[in-house]
Amino acid sequence: TQLLEQSPQFLSIQEGENLTVYCNSSSVFSSLQWYRQEPGEGPVLLVTVVTGGEVKKLKRLTFQFGDARKDSSLHITAAQPGDTGLYLCAGARGNKLVFGAGTILRVKS
Amino acid sequence: DAGVIQSPRHEVTEMGQEVTLRCKPISGHNSLFWYRQTMMRGLELLIYFNNNVPIDDSGMPEDRFSAKMPNASFSTLKIQPSEPRDSAVYFCASSLGAANTGELFFGEGSRLTVL
């Protein structure tokens, strides 16, 4: 059982569409990070959210941390083929960073 | 600036052989992490070093796995003897602070296939 559940597991959409992926847990995290991983490479940090209810924007990407610090969402507006990749959320628990299983996003042109 | 450097990028070996994976963290980073990634289990933390000292090795699967960090610029993950179920991509990552405070910088990974 994953400590962090991500949904959907896989998403295939057309260029220009909007999408939201979710990261949920029954546990509280002191902070939560979102990473993006491309084939053959390691994950790269997109954002860190720390405060319950926090919203951060990174160009077309909007990240939200739940009020209770147990869940988070990533919304992409007008998706582009370059957004294709594996999106991972990771929560800080004690001295560890625990990763969800990820959402595979494919954006078709 | 160089990122985290891992070697080898790919390794194919036979069951029972010893495998050694290597990692050079980013200079100045004091935390180093070994993760394993598979389709079934995602990214799993194996072991975490801080200032070259192993802090948490609870994720190391069993005694066949061992990790060392003899100095601030080098770490190894060894599997002896290897088994087919060890096949995965092994990532090394480093950070300036503890895992729960800062950004993790990942290497490109070592893809291990055990036949």
Side-chain angles (χ1 to χ4, degrees):
Chain A
T1 304
Q2 293 277 350
L3 187 61
L4 283 164
E5 297 286 343
Q6 290 192 244
S7 61
Q9 290 182 308
F10 180 77
L11 192 55
S12 180
I13 61 172
Q14 290 293 135
E15 182 177 2
E17 293 184 9
N18 301 333
L19 67 114
T20 302
V21 298
Y22 300 93
C23 175
N24 295 299
S25 176
S26 57
S27 301
V28 175
F29 294 95
S30 56
S31 66
L32 198 140
Q33 299 178 341
W34 283 92
Y35 287 78
R36 178 166 161 263
Q37 184 179 14
E38 296 190 37
E41 299 182 6
V44 176
L45 181 69
L46 295 173
V47 78
T48 300
V49 286
V50 178
T51 306
E54 183 176 3
V55 176
K56 280 192 174 179
K57 291 193 175 185
L58 185 66
K59 296 184 181 178
R60 293 176 294 100
L61 278 60
T62 301
F63 304 85
Q64 185 162 9
F65 201 12
D67 290 341
R69 307 206 319 273
K70 292 182 179 180
D71 55 82
S72 182
S73 63
L74 159 59
H75 182 80
I76 302 179
T77 303
Q80 300 176 1
D83 295 328
T84 293
L86 173 66
Y87 289 82
L88 296 157
C89 66
R93 292 288 309 280
N95 62 4
K96 295 182 184 181
L97 196 62
V98 178
F99 282 83
T103 293
I104 298 173
L105 172 63
R106 180 186 173 200
V107 183
K108 296 177 284 187
S109 57
Chain B
D1 289 340
V4 175
I5 299 172
Q6 291 187 244
S7 65
R9 289 296 311 277
H10 302 274
E11 172 108 5
V12 180
T13 190
E14 292 188 343
M15 182 173 65
Q17 296 298 306
E18 178 179 295
V19 173
T20 299
L21 308 178
R22 299 171 179 79
C23 175
K24 176 178 169 54
I26 293 173
S27 177
H29 283 190
N30 59 4
S31 292
L32 183 141
F33 311 84
W34 283 100
Y35 281 87
R36 177 172 67 178
Q37 187 175 41
T38 60
M39 287 293 292
M40 291 293 294
R41 301 173 70 91
L43 263 173
E44 302 173 280
L45 177 64
L46 300 177
I47 187 168
Y48 156 44
F49 292 88
N50 185 254
N51 292 323
N52 312 338
V53 176
I55 302 300
D56 187 337
D57 65 354
S58 59
M60 295 286 263
E62 49 197 270
D63 292 345
R64 297 185 297 107
F65 285 68
S66 62
K68 294 182 179 180
M69 192 165 185
N71 57 63
S73 59
F74 184 66
S75 177
T76 59
L77 178 67
K78 186 175 292 188
I79 308 173
Q80 167 63 19
S82 58
E83 296 183 2
R85 60 187 167 134
D86 301 330
S87 297
V89 182
Y90 291 80
F91 285 100
C92 176
S94 68
S95 72
L96 270 174
N100 58 354
T101 58
E103 175 180 0
L104 262 60
F105 292 82
F106 284 82
E108 293 183 313
S110 295
R111 179 176 294 276
L112 173 64
T113 302
V114 183
L115 303 175

